[in-house]
């Protein structure tokens, strides 16, 4: 059985979706790690019996020290893949140098709209398509090699409708990419 670790910071709906579709079926979510003790995702993960570890970033004197603790917590379970799902911390090279099998999902068509508030920036842009990207985690924010993208043609949606379409694409492609990376013959 393959093992993954999921990193999250907030709502945890991607975590929940991956758990629902894949946990204890084709793979095991060996651990979920959050930097936010108040993350809603903690409850969601626990409902699936997933072990949650809280590493509160406010307790560390630097980003590097936090990343060292994070890397150590990941290494304890030796996962086949590390999955960032709404993990809202900027990582230092300490992370990418040690954890080379991590992927992230970003709610825009990278390389456009890197960083925070990607959905809002994508929504207010002139682009007639919008979408999501799964990419490898590298030293630079939202800049690792792109693995998969999905997009839709824009109607005149409200921001809420636009956001819902973005999340629906995330829920569709992230489990597929994880499955492909872990189980497809290279
Ligand atoms: C998603 O839109 C993801 O692309 C972005 O943060 C959001 C997390 O949502 N990185 P959730 O916590 O999975 O509900």
């Amino acid at each position: 059985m393959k093992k993954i670790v999921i990193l999250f910071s907030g709502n945890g709906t991607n975590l929940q979706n991956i758990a629902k579709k894949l946990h204890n079926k084709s793979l095991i979510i060996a651990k979920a790690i959050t930097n936010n003790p108040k993350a809603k995702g903690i409850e969601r993960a626990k409902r699936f019996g997933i072990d949650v570890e809280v590493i509160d970033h406010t307790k560390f004197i630097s980003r590097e020290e936090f990343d060292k603790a994070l890397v150590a917590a990941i290494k304890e379970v030796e996962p086949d893949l590390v999955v960032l799902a709404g993990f809202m911390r900027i990582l230092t090279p300490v992370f990418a140098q040690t954890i080379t099998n991590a992927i992230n999902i970003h709610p825009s068509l990278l390389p456009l709209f890197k960083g925070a508030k990607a959905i809002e920036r994508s929504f207010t842009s002139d682009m007639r398509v919008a979408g999501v990207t799964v990419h490898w985690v590298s030293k630079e924010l939202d800049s690792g090699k792109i693995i998969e993208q999905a997009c839709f043609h824009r109607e005149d949606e409200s921001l809420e409708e636009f956001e819902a379409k973005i999340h629906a694409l995330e829920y569709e492609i992230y489990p597929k990419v994880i499955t492909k990376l872990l189980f497809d013959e290279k």
Side-chain angles (χ1 to χ4, degrees):
M1 197 66 130
K2 301 274 188 188
K3 281 185 288 187
I4 67 169
V5 166
I6 298 187
L7 311 186
F8 69 102
S9 296
N11 212 1
T13 61
N14 275 285
L15 179 154
Q16 176 175 281
N17 175 60
I18 295 164
K20 200 165 143 197
K21 291 183 177 158
L22 305 178
H23 181 55
N24 284 336
K25 297 184 177 103
S26 44
L27 55 79
I28 287 173
I29 301 172
K31 191 192 264 191
I33 304 174
T34 183
N35 63 302
N36 174 11
K38 295 191 178 140
K40 280 198 191 147
I42 296 174
E43 244 341 281
R44 294 188 202 270
K46 286 189 174 164
R47 266 187 248 142
F48 288 88
I50 296 163
D51 190 14
V52 181
E53 185 165 342
V54 179
I55 307 176
D56 183 351
H57 67 275
T58 64
K59 307 268 191 268
F60 293 83
I61 52 162
S62 66
R63 285 190 187 274
E64 284 76 11
E65 289 305 309
F66 169 77
D67 281 4
K68 280 185 202 165
L70 181 61
V71 165
I74 292 169
K75 284 194 149 187
E76 269 172 26
V77 296
E78 295 183 6
D80 296 286
L81 192 66
V82 178
V83 175
L84 278 65
F87 189 63
M88 309 305 276
R89 294 293 301 162
I90 293 178
L91 295 162
T92 69
V94 168
F95 184 90
Q97 273 157 15
T98 330
I99 307 293
T100 53
N101 59 345
I103 60 173
N104 181 42
I105 190 154
H106 187 74
S108 77
L109 291 171
L110 290 173
L112 297 171
F113 313 117
K114 292 178 182 177
K117 299 207 179 296
I119 295 181
E120 288 85 342
R121 286 187 291 135
S122 166
F123 177 75
T124 53
S125 78
D126 286 337
M127 298 271 301
R128 295 310 302 152
V129 288
V132 305
T133 304
V134 180
H135 63 93
W136 290 106
V137 173
S138 70
K139 275 188 274 177
E140 271 154 59
L141 181 68
D142 300 329
S143 300
K145 193 171 187 310
I146 291 173
I147 302 166
E148 187 57 284
Q149 293 182 304
C151 64
F152 61 92
H153 199 276
R154 294 179 64 180
E155 314 293 336
D156 43 5
E157 300 94 354
S158 65
L159 177 60
E160 291 67 35
E161 288 162 345
F162 183 87
E163 243 183 303
K165 285 188 183 181
I166 292 284
H167 292 310
L169 284 184
E170 292 184 330
Y171 304 152
E172 193 187 316
I173 75 164
Y174 217 8
K176 281 189 191 157
V177 170
I178 293 166
T179 305
K180 193 160 189 244
L181 288 174
L182 290 174
F183 300 103
D184 270 17
E185 304 259 331
K186 297 271 152 37

